[in-house]
Amino acid sequence: MASSPLRALIVVDCQRDFCEGGSLPVTGGDAVASGVADFLAAHRTDYRLIIATRDWHIHPEHHFSTHPDFIDTWPKHCVAGTAGAEFSPNLDSHGPFVQCLDAIVSKGRESAAYSGFQGTTDDGRSLNRLLKDSDITSVDIVGLATDFCVKATALDAEKYGYATNVLLPLTAGVAPDTTAEAISAMEQAGVHVQAAI
Ligand SMILES: [Zn+2]
């Protein structure tokens, strides 16, 4: 049953502010969080590591704007320690999500950060360090949003040499055109974008 033990699942930014009702909602965010919970309930043992990333802003320079362009500037979101920065409660539908996790990687403390590889755990370990320390060779990526943080994390994972697979049904994008561009860019970089689970 179990596939490669050298595989990690990276759950990108499934936070309240990126789901319906949040300050920067991605349509389908709630459904992605529920889908990730279902997927984890069925596939936890397929992975050596489960890592969640989170947008975790303290002073993110010009990342926030009251007149956001939704490309480089955004409504205020995922401020560290606030309810909006918490993981979606939909992730807990089969039991506490955080109990499934081997690590939480926070990014964006002092500047915008789209890739999980720009973040660190509270004790200062990078995502790449966590993966290397567990001899991970391939990663599956799910979460929000397809066209920003999923894309950036997948491109970095590929760049760092991991066999990288994005489980598209467990992602949602900010906008259809940028999502299509993101899928194309990921595939051109060598990322496998898996259309069905
Ligand atoms: Zn952000």
Side-chain angles (χ1 to χ4, degrees):
M1 290 289 284
S3 48
S4 169
L6 301 179
R7 197 150 58 116
L9 180 71
I10 302 173
V11 180
V12 175
D13 295 14
C14 281
Q15 294 165 271
R16 285 178 182 266
D17 271 345
F18 295 138
C19 293
E20 285 82 350
S23 66
L24 180 45
V26 177
T27 302
D30 279 342
V32 164
S34 297
V36 169
D38 293 346
F39 181 80
L40 268 174
H43 297 281
R44 174 67 183 92
T45 56
D46 292 353
Y47 296 96
R48 178 175 279 196
L49 283 186
I50 311 279
I51 298 171
T53 71
R54 63 183 180 184
D55 221 18
W56 195 249
H57 294 309
I58 299 171
H59 300 293
E61 296 180 331
H62 307 295
H63 187 51
F64 294 159
S65 172
T66 50
H67 298 94
D69 65 9
F70 292 90
I71 296 168
D72 295 311
T73 57
W74 306 91
K76 198 173 188 180
H77 61 274
C78 297
V79 174
T82 65
E86 292 172 3
F87 291 120
S88 165
N90 290 24
L91 291 165
D92 298 326
S93 50
H94 296 278
F97 174 61
V98 293
Q99 288 184 9
C100 285
L101 299 176
D102 296 291
I104 296 172
V105 169
S106 303
K107 62 186 174 60
R109 289 178 178 86
E110 305 296 335
S111 61
Y114 295 97
S115 167
F117 286 84
Q118 294 171 273
T120 60
T121 58
D122 283 348
D123 61 4
R125 289 173 295 161
S126 69
L127 178 52
N128 192 42
R129 182 78 267 149
L130 291 167
L131 298 173
K132 288 275 180 273
D133 283 350
S134 287
D135 300 320
I136 298 297
T137 55
S138 67
V139 296
D140 286 352
I141 299 177
V142 299
L144 305 171
T146 324
D147 34 356
F148 290 91
C149 294
V150 167
K151 172 190 165 190
T153 303
L155 292 176
D156 271 354
E158 191 67 32
K159 197 168 70 185
Y160 279 107
Y162 300 99
T164 305
N165 186 41
V166 171
L167 302 178
L168 199 59
L170 294 178
T171 72
V174 172
D177 54 345
T178 48
T179 298
E181 287 167 18
I183 291 168
S184 172
M186 289 190 286
E187 287 179 333
Q188 280 173 27
V191 174
H192 182 242
V193 180
Q194 189 175 321
I197 298 171

